[in-house]
Amino acid sequence: MPEMPAIRLVNVNKWYGTFQVLHDVSLTVERGSRVVICGPSGSGKSTLIRCINRLETHQRGDIIVNRVELTDQLSKIDRVRSEVGMVFQHFNLFPHLTVLDNCTLAQRWVRKRSRKEADEIAMAFLERVRIPEKAQRYPGELSGGQQQRVAIARALCMNPSIMLFDEPTSALDPEMVKEVLDTMVSLAEDGMTMVCVTHEMGFARQVANEVVFMDGGKVIERNTPEAIFSAPSKERTKRFLSNLL
Ligand code: ADP
Ligand code: MG
């Protein structure tokens, strides 16, 4: 029997009031694969990715994550959220908590881990993102690149089977982009299932199994990075990609 995909969206439609933001979006993410979503500002990329862990709700179509169909049932939403890590453009760390406490809060309250166990797990992931020496610092004392690596470590502490990234490097100064992308590449190499909204096409080339181009709330084109970068089939994709270079 073929394995169920990690994420499956079938004809998803969403409205903000009367404004339709997603039009029949379908997407399949196989376990262990990486999908990069790109497209102009306002095309619905954040909305789409936020629907996957139900930070936003869709009105029509199906979203199935790790075999769980997303409906209004709270227990299902909690289950999906606990298996899906999310990294945002603006890090969203708790400013009044140390780096270590940022990484242990959900572990203790959601996973019910002891402080000792949560601390050990947090330190292991802070090592993994190469920033253990900042454990007792506050987010405001860190550079943007360091904060984003903490945000990745914080998500990993919950042992997610899927990681969602929403433009994780677009708020960073150029010299900090690489340290965050390197962390993401290493996650990809370890086989993490990832959906990344990003315009970092070098990253897409290196790790993506599929690149999805969105515009106006629709999937315009999807293909392997090789194919979409060398010969986009739609004029809109071509124009968008040529502006990135
Ligand atoms: P992207 O991430 O591709 O820039 P978004 O998903 O953030 O796109 O937004 C898609 C469209 O939906 C935009 O036109 C935006 O203004 C609109 N939008 C986003 N969030 C909301 C909201 N909470 N309420 C109303 N409109 C929204
Ligand atoms: Mg966005």
Side-chain angles (χ1 to χ4, degrees):
M1 202 176 79
E3 207 187 347
M4 279 277 288
I7 303 170
R8 191 181 189 92
L9 276 70
V10 184
N11 294 333
V12 170
N13 289 273
K14 174 175 177 58
W15 288 260
Y16 288 120
T18 55
F19 171 67
Q20 186 167 7
V21 57
L22 297 177
H23 299 256
D24 278 331
V25 173
S26 296
L27 182 74
T28 301
V29 184
E30 300 296 342
R31 204 159 293 289
S33 79
R34 276 88 46 193
V35 173
V36 161
I37 300 174
C38 63
S41 175
S43 57
K45 308 179 299 296
S46 293
T47 301
L48 175 66
I49 204 167
R50 292 166 67 88
C51 282
I52 295 174
N53 62 356
R54 215 158 170 93
L55 290 175
E56 296 286 354
T57 55
H58 63 292
Q59 282 87 34
R60 229 171 61 202
D62 300 321
I63 302 183
I64 300 152
V65 181
N66 286 341
R67 296 172 183 271
V68 178
E69 169 141 26
L70 291 190
T71 59
D72 286 330
Q73 232 177 299
L74 260 180
S75 61
K76 289 187 173 183
I77 296 165
D78 286 347
R79 188 170 139 204
V80 165
R81 284 209 188 128
S82 73
E83 294 170 356
V84 179
M86 174 108 186
V87 174
F88 302 87
Q89 182 175 7
H90 295 289
F91 331 133
N92 297 15
L93 296 173
F94 302 112
H96 59 292
L97 295 181
T98 62
V99 163
L100 186 66
D101 288 343
N102 264 279
C103 292
T104 56
L105 188 71
Q107 290 196 67
R108 296 181 61 207
W109 293 105
V110 180
R111 290 275 189 259
K112 312 288 182 206
R113 291 174 184 156
S114 68
R115 174 179 281 278
K116 182 168 177 294
E117 188 189 5
D119 281 356
E120 283 170 8
I121 291 170
M123 286 312 299
F125 283 110
L126 289 171
E127 300 265 0
R128 167 91 207 263
V129 301
R130 294 181 292 117
I131 204 164
E133 72 281 3
K134 301 291 186 194
Q136 298 305 332
R137 300 280 178 180
Y138 287 86
E141 301 175 289
L142 274 55
S143 73
Q146 292 170 334
Q147 289 186 57
Q148 194 59 299
R149 284 188 283 145
V150 171
I152 294 171
R154 177 177 67 173
L156 293 175
C157 283
M158 299 294 282
N159 311 106
S161 63
I162 297 170
M163 286 284 286
L164 308 176
F165 292 86
D166 191 359
E167 303 206 41
T169 59
S170 58
L172 298 177
D173 291 333
E175 69 270 21
M176 291 168 194
V177 169
K178 186 173 179 300
E179 66 190 54
V180 172
L181 289 179
D182 285 349
T183 306
M184 293 168 64
V185 168
S186 111
L187 263 186
E189 285 170 345
D190 285 354
M192 178 65 80
T193 305
M194 294 162 70
V195 181
C196 310
V197 175
T198 181
H199 295 141
E200 293 292 337
M201 293 301 138
F203 171 79
R205 266 181 206 279
Q206 202 175 343
V207 308
N209 302 89
E210 183 178 53
V211 175
V212 174
F213 174 69
M214 286 182 73
D215 196 8
K218 295 182 183 138
V219 172
I220 303 297
E221 182 166 359
R222 66 180 79 210
N223 217 324
T224 60
E226 297 76 27
I228 208 164
F229 295 139
S230 60
S233 66
K234 299 284 196 307
E235 196 51 43
R236 259 193 284 183
T237 318
K238 208 177 291 181
R239 232 180 305 135
F240 177 79
L241 291 176
S242 67
N243 282 336
L244 281 186
L245 304 173

